[in-house]
């Protein structure tokens, strides 16, 4: 697709529905950010080993049982109606080409070895930031992936890394496609893109709707809170389960990452059933305590009557089940 045909592509850059600064740049905020980064905070990372269900991942999709398995941060596996999808599979050790930024993965390893993953029917990426699109991961999984679905422009990264162009499907917001009986919809998010100082917003970012015959899932990608959630809920909701961004937030960049209470509201806006909070539990990319996001989102979710699943990494969540994992494992 010619990017110029996209209403989101303006003056050689992709834009959000509404004006969206990546950060409130002013002297006061810059000084406060520097000051806050210099303050020691041992709670930005776990002090002990993170529990996970290593080796318990369901590798063979059950035809009529939809399961979602979270691997930490936003990386997740959806097994739906006999098909296996990976969402933002960032399996690397660090969310940056410079490990000093963001540090290394808390757990040090994954609940499953990459070579043990089943054949992947499709990989869905939400945008090209390093904590979502990882070169090393793509190189390791590409030969067992049948199709890649990405927002506009992201395919160029995959092609450079050896993925055949015929396997890549680039979509604009609101574009739909079909995958062996599944309906995939590229939906809006409020964020930005770029992997260097020279390619800011050169590719699009998105959320995803995954709809089967019996279940429907929403994956938020990275997003600040905005009206697009209600629009998505109106057009495609209700959803049986949502994977909603929760973590790496700050009031100074609230336009591109939701606060935990907004995560709950966004889940309600899209008419979600059960929610799995994602974008936390793996890396430190903000200044808050590493458990602050999950504590706030579960507390507010309980107040608002929202069903929130809190699986350990590697613990499958059965969509539509009356029993969902809700143990506060981060306190163990």
């Amino acid at each position: 697709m010619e990017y110029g045909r996209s209403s989101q592509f303006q003056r050689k850059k992709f834009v959000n529905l509404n004006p969206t600064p990546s950060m409130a740049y002013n002297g006061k905020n810059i000084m406060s950010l520097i000051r806050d980064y210099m303050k020691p905070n041992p709670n930005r990372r776990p002090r002990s080993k993170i529990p996970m269900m290593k080796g318990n991942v369901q590798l063979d999709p059950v035809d009529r049982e939809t399961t979602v398995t979270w691997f930490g941060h936003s990386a997740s596996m959806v097994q739906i109606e006999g098909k296996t999808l990976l969402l933002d599979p960032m399996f690397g050790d660090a969310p940056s080409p410079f490990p000093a930024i963001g540090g290394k993965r808390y757990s040090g390893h994954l609940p499953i070895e990459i070579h043990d993953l089943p054949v992947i029917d499709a990989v869905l990426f939400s945008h090209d930031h390093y904590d979502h699109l990882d070169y090393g991961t793509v190189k390791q999984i590409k030969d067992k992936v049948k199709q890649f679905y990405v927002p506009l422009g992201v395919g160029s990264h995959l092609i450079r890394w050896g993925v055949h162009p015929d396997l890549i499907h680039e979509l604009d917001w609101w574009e739909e496609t079909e995958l062996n009986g599944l309906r995939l919809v590229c939906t809006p998010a409020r964020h930005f893109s770029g992997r260097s100082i020279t390619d800011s917003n050169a590719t699009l970012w998105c959320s995803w709707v995954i709809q089967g015959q019996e279940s429907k899932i929403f994956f938020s990608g990275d997003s600040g809170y905005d009206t697009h959630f209600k629009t998505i809920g109106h057009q495609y909701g209700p959803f049986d389960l949502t994977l909603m961004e929760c973590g790496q937030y700050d009031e100074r960049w609230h336009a591109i990452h939701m606060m935990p209470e907004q995560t709950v509201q966004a889940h309600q806006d899209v008419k979600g059933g059960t929610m799995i909070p994602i974008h936390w539990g793996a890396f430190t990319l903000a200044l808050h305590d590493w458990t602050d996001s999950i504590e706030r989102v579960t507390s507010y979710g309980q107040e608002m009557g929202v069903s929130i699943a809190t699986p350990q990494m590697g613990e499958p969540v059965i969509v539509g089940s009356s029993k969902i994992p809700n143990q506060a494992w981060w306190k163990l």
Side-chain angles (χ1 to χ4, degrees), residues 190-297:
R190 190 184 190 192
H191 201 54
F192 69 111
S193 67
R195 295 174 69 84
S196 71
I197 61 174
T198 62
D199 67 348
S200 177
N201 294 346
T203 64
L204 189 59
W205 47 94
C206 74
S207 55
W208 287 99
V209 170
I210 303 167
Q211 182 176 355
Q213 296 297 315
E214 299 183 7
S215 56
K216 196 186 307 181
I217 293 170
F218 177 70
F219 171 55
S220 73
D222 279 7
S223 184
Y225 183 75
D226 208 343
T227 58
H228 66 280
F229 289 114
K230 286 188 177 180
T231 304
I232 293 168
H234 177 72
Q235 293 191 207
Y236 294 102
F239 294 92
D240 299 286
L241 182 139
T242 70
L243 296 115
M244 301 295 289
E245 182 210 69
C246 169
Q248 320 313 326
Y249 51 82
D250 191 289
E251 286 288 355
R252 287 162 290 201
W253 56 81
H254 71 277
I256 57 170
H257 284 295
M258 290 184 284
M259 309 301 286
E261 294 75 18
Q262 292 176 317
T263 297
V264 174
Q265 183 61 59
H267 168 82
Q268 293 178 309
D269 286 354
V270 300
K271 303 177 184 178
T274 294
M275 176 174 71
I276 299 178
I278 59 171
H279 208 248
W280 76 285
F283 307 110
T284 296
L285 298 173
L287 296 164
H288 57 74
D289 290 0
W290 81 277
T291 59
D292 188 58
S293 55
I294 193 64
E295 292 284 358
R296 286 175 60 174
V297 80

Side-chain angles (χ1 to χ4, degrees), residues 13 28 49 64 75 104 106 108 143 147 151 188-189 204 230 251 259 282 289-290 298 317 321:
K13 298 284 185 180
K28 181 179 179 180
K49 187 176 180 180
R64 289 299 165 188
K104 291 190 175 183
Y106 297 159
D143 292 335
Q147 306 286 333
L204 189 59
K230 286 188 177 180
E251 286 288 355
M259 309 301 286
D289 290 0
W290 81 277
T298 52
V317 177
S321 173

Side-chain angles (χ1 to χ4, degrees), residues 44-211:
R44 287 179 191 158
R45 295 181 62 87
R47 300 185 184 185
S48 57
K49 187 176 180 180
I50 290 180
M52 63 175 61
M53 288 196 173
K54 186 174 175 61
N56 289 338
V57 175
Q58 174 69 44
L59 295 181
D60 298 315
V62 179
D63 285 348
R64 289 299 165 188
E65 189 174 79
T66 299
T67 63
V68 176
T69 306
W70 175 61
F71 295 121
H73 204 57
S74 294
S76 306
M77 180 168 66
V78 175
Q79 295 183 292
I80 177 172
E81 297 173 11
K83 280 131 334 241
T84 299
L85 315 180
L86 286 180
L87 312 180
D88 281 2
M90 194 292 190
F91 297 149
D93 292 333
S96 164
F98 310 104
I101 301 176
K104 291 190 175 183
R105 184 180 295 273
Y106 297 159
S107 58
H109 59 276
L110 296 165
I112 187 174
E113 299 296 332
I114 293 180
H115 62 259
D116 288 333
L117 285 170
V119 172
I120 307 301
D121 293 281
V123 167
L124 279 62
F125 283 111
S126 64
H127 63 298
D128 71 359
H129 284 159
Y130 284 89
D131 57 321
H132 295 261
L133 178 66
D134 178 62
Y135 168 79
T137 301
V138 171
K139 295 291 285 187
Q140 290 183 72
I141 68 173
K142 66 182 180 65
D143 292 335
K144 60 171 58 182
V145 177
K146 296 180 180 179
Q147 306 286 333
F148 291 83
Y149 294 87
V150 301
L152 294 177
V154 175
S156 61
H157 299 302
L158 302 180
I159 292 171
R160 285 200 309 275
W161 301 344
V163 177
H164 197 283
D166 290 348
L167 305 182
I168 301 169
H169 307 270
E170 291 194 346
L171 283 75
D172 196 3
W173 289 352
W174 306 118
E175 284 193 321
E176 302 182 5
T177 190
E178 189 267 344
L179 171 67
N180 300 328
L182 296 180
R183 182 189 195 187
L184 304 179
V185 189
C186 179
T187 44
R190 190 184 190 192
H191 201 54
F192 69 111
S193 67
R195 295 174 69 84
S196 71
I197 61 174
T198 62
D199 67 348
S200 177
N201 294 346
T203 64
L204 189 59
W205 47 94
C206 74
S207 55
W208 287 99
V209 170
I210 303 167
Q211 182 176 355

